[in-house]
Amino acid sequence: MKEEREKKSYSTFLKENEGKIVFLLIILFFIFIMIFSKFKKEEYNNKIKNYSGKTIGITSSIKNHGKTSDLRYYFYYKNQRFVSESNENNFSKKDLKKFFNVVFDKKNPENSHLYLNEEIQPDSITLTKAGFKYVTYYEHDIPTNTYIKKHKWE
């Protein structure tokens, strides 16, 4: 008899407080997500601190994935070009074709991080030492039917 009353009271309790229980579960879920994301961010920051390589990188394009987007950039290490993406959402189109500091793992240069808060204005000697080349190209001007000589760092 006592067990039946406990079962009835437990089921009655669940029915009466169903909304509160669902609300509590949702709150606990969001707290778990926040703690997990903070843990992942701290893990990534510790990983970046262990990178020993430092160089200059240039942003090249923005790759959109629906609601999110990635900023593509490249840098040179040992005369080899490495293309990478930054998925931090604090960038805009005004950050394209600009130079920033990059840290990377010398053992695996594909693991890198772009510091978007530190735009730099390097001189030509610094860029050449970082592996970039000054390229001349020509653009066709339709109204005058001539080619215009232009330069860029690549």
Side-chain angles (χ1 to χ4, degrees), residues 61-117:
S61 64
I62 296 176
K63 188 176 177 183
N64 293 316
H65 307 285
K67 292 183 179 181
T68 63
S69 56
D70 294 336
L71 180 65
R72 296 185 109 194
Y73 63 94
Y74 61 91
F75 63 95
Y76 293 92
Y77 178 62
K78 292 185 178 179
N79 294 325
Q80 187 176 358
R81 181 177 174 166
F82 291 93
V83 179
S84 190
E85 294 178 353
S86 174
N87 57 5
E88 294 181 23
N89 291 326
N90 58 348
F91 59 85
S92 63
K93 288 187 178 184
K94 67 179 179 69
D95 293 327
L96 289 177
K97 306 296 181 200
K98 294 188 178 177
F99 296 98
F100 296 94
N101 286 322
V102 176
V103 293
F104 61 94
D105 185 8
K106 286 185 177 181
K107 295 176 185 171
N108 188 3
E110 294 169 356
N111 295 334
S112 63
H113 177 75
L114 179 73
Y115 286 104
L116 283 171
N117 56 349

Side-chain angles (χ1 to χ4, degrees), residues 1-12:
M1 198 103 170
K2 188 176 181 183
E3 290 178 9
E4 287 181 24
R5 276 190 293 178
E6 286 180 12
K7 286 183 182 179
K8 286 182 182 178
S9 63
Y10 182 70
S11 62
T12 308

Side-chain angles (χ1 to χ4, degrees), residues 94-153:
K94 67 179 179 69
D95 293 327
L96 289 177
K97 306 296 181 200
K98 294 188 178 177
F99 296 98
F100 296 94
N101 286 322
V102 176
V103 293
F104 61 94
D105 185 8
K106 286 185 177 181
K107 295 176 185 171
N108 188 3
E110 294 169 356
N111 295 334
S112 63
H113 177 75
L114 179 73
Y115 286 104
L116 283 171
N117 56 349
E118 302 175 16
E119 181 186 349
I120 56 174
Q121 300 292 329
D123 59 2
S124 59
I125 295 171
T126 307
L127 286 173
T128 305
K129 285 181 181 177
F132 290 91
K133 295 172 184 65
Y134 195 63
V135 179
T136 303
Y137 67 99
Y138 296 91
E139 213 173 74
H140 185 253
D141 185 29
I142 295 173
T144 61
N145 198 23
T146 59
Y147 287 93
I148 300 170
K149 186 177 184 179
K150 295 196 174 192
H151 306 279
K152 66 178 177 179
W153 285 98

Side-chain angles (χ1 to χ4, degrees), residues 25-47:
L25 289 175
I26 291 172
I27 296 295
L28 289 174
F29 177 74
F30 280 115
I31 290 172
F32 174 75
I33 294 294
M34 289 172 50
I35 291 171
F36 181 74
S37 64
K38 184 176 180 179
F39 173 75
K40 290 299 271 183
K41 188 172 185 173
E42 286 178 11
E43 182 182 350
Y44 181 71
N45 287 337
N46 289 334
K47 184 177 163 185

